[in-house]
Amino acid sequence: MHDTPTTSPFKQPRAVWAVAFACVVSFMGIGLVDPILKSLAGQLDATPTQVELLFTSYLVITALAMLVTGWVSSRLGAKRTLIAGLVIIVVFAALAGLSGSIGGIVGFRAGWGLGNALFIATSLATIVASASGGFAGAIILYEAALGVGIALGPVVGGLLGSISWRGPFFGVSGLMFIALVATVFLLPKTPVPARKQRLSEPLAALKHRSLATTSIVGLLYNWSFFTLLGYSPFLMGIENPILLGAVFCGWGVLVALFSVLIAPRAQRRFGTARTLYAAFALFAVDLAVIGIFSTTPAVVIVGVIIAGAFIGTNNTLVTTAVMSIAPVERPVASATYGFVRFIGGGLAPFVAGLIVEAFDPQAHLPFFIAAVTVAVAAVVLSTVRSSLAAADRGEVAQPERSTLDRVEGRDPIVGGLAVGDAD
């Protein structure tokens, strides 16, 4: 039923639109706090390292929650899991806005990360299951939600943050409450999966060399990614949250364009491995330039915006690499990969803050480390090059593929799906 494409990918049932709207708001959370990091540090008398814990608590809890999302969703079903995730986000985002200390906000961001993990882990499959006009149209809609969310997050954060640092948190809570109501009333009841996933499966999957290797690549790359995202606002010399939001909006637009449009085309022409080698190398150079000129705000701003192109490409193709050669079911591979890579993303901004406070006030070293880390990611990726080449030729068989996987195998938009596997 989902194989016949619609005239327009945007002709979908209201249930699909409800989940897509929630996806936009959820993806906004990636860059939402960037424009208010300096404001938080100043108004709450916090150090940059303490402020960076906003990323660390959110992403580390998201990583840990990835180990249980499959277990939860296989028992509750997709709709109940989505609702649980949305409720948690609404509550903890509001509590973060009500908090009066940096420690309180960090703690509530951790709860937010738990809700986000439950929601993101289930949203793509829910959109596909609810679409009534073709798998391709559902995926395009999902990718559009991803792109809009990434680009709008810093803008909304900047606009609301210019009123009060509490504004972005209350804004997300309010928007997610609207998404929650829409999901409850518009999304049909979804069946509980026949097979119950075991809690041990995501960690046990690391025994497979291909999955463990590509997950380490994801960890190294995300270390570099979140060093840039988390610490660069302190180097731009911009106090106005709206202007900071505009910078990261430019970054987000490039992330979205390269994720959805450029990366799949480059993959088809050059292959997954070669495209990633090039993107990793260019990202490493970009990070090194930011590190060298960390005291020159104009260079930092341009470097951050340009990095969106490399990050967009990497986001799509690293996930493609994981999903194409992992010898386990897609939900398990996704949970394993999400757990490992978000650990790197969560720790990187905090470590950058510690380094700067300890002995590098001009913040050269964190970006040099990030440049080396992403270069090492390319080296690690090369150890599974033959498996990636086989996957590009369609020679890698996936075990016990789900309905989503079988439909995907008949659909030409396979690169774009990888972006949506942000979980």
Side-chain angles (χ1 to χ4, degrees), residues 30 62 71 123 139 163 227 281 334 378 404:
I30 295 174
T62 297
W71 184 89
S123 57
I139 294 303
I163 301 171
T227 296
S334 181
L404 174 59

Side-chain angles (χ1 to χ4, degrees), residues 79-125:
K79 181 175 181 177
R80 290 179 179 176
T81 305
L82 282 176
I83 291 172
L86 289 168
V87 168
I88 292 171
I89 294 172
V90 168
V91 171
F92 280 94
L95 289 173
L98 292 170
S99 179
S101 68
I102 193 67
I105 299 172
V106 168
F108 293 132
R109 278 279 284 181
W112 186 345
L114 170 62
N116 202 54
L118 290 171
F119 174 78
I120 292 298
T122 317
S123 57
L124 175 60

Side-chain angles (χ1 to χ4, degrees), residues 344-380:
L347 294 179
F350 180 65
V351 172
L354 291 177
I355 291 172
V356 171
E357 288 183 7
F359 52 83
D360 184 23
Q362 294 182 329
H364 298 300
L365 188 56
F367 289 89
F368 292 152
I369 292 174
V372 171
T373 301
V374 77
V376 172
V379 175
V380 175

Side-chain angles (χ1 to χ4, degrees), residues 264-271 274-275:
R265 295 178 183 179
Q267 179 195 30
R268 288 192 293 268
R269 181 168 182 179
F270 302 109
R274 285 196 292 174
T275 303

Side-chain angles (χ1 to χ4, degrees), residues 274-371:
R274 285 196 292 174
T275 303
L276 276 174
Y277 295 153
F280 282 156
L282 292 171
F283 190 26
V285 170
D286 186 55
L287 289 165
V289 170
I290 293 174
I292 294 169
F293 297 99
S294 62
T295 57
T296 307
V299 174
V300 176
I301 290 170
V302 173
V304 167
I305 294 173
I306 291 174
F310 314 131
I311 289 170
T313 302
N314 293 335
N315 281 353
T316 295
L317 297 189
V318 173
T319 308
T320 297
V322 174
M323 296 302 167
S324 62
I325 66 176
V328 295
E329 296 174 6
R330 174 181 290 275
V332 176
S334 181
T336 303
Y337 171 58
F339 164 67
V340 176
R341 70 161 175 158
F342 282 132
I343 291 293
L347 294 179
F350 180 65
V351 172
L354 291 177
I355 291 172
V356 171
E357 288 183 7
F359 52 83
D360 184 23
Q362 294 182 329
H364 298 300
L365 188 56
F367 289 89
F368 292 152
I369 292 174

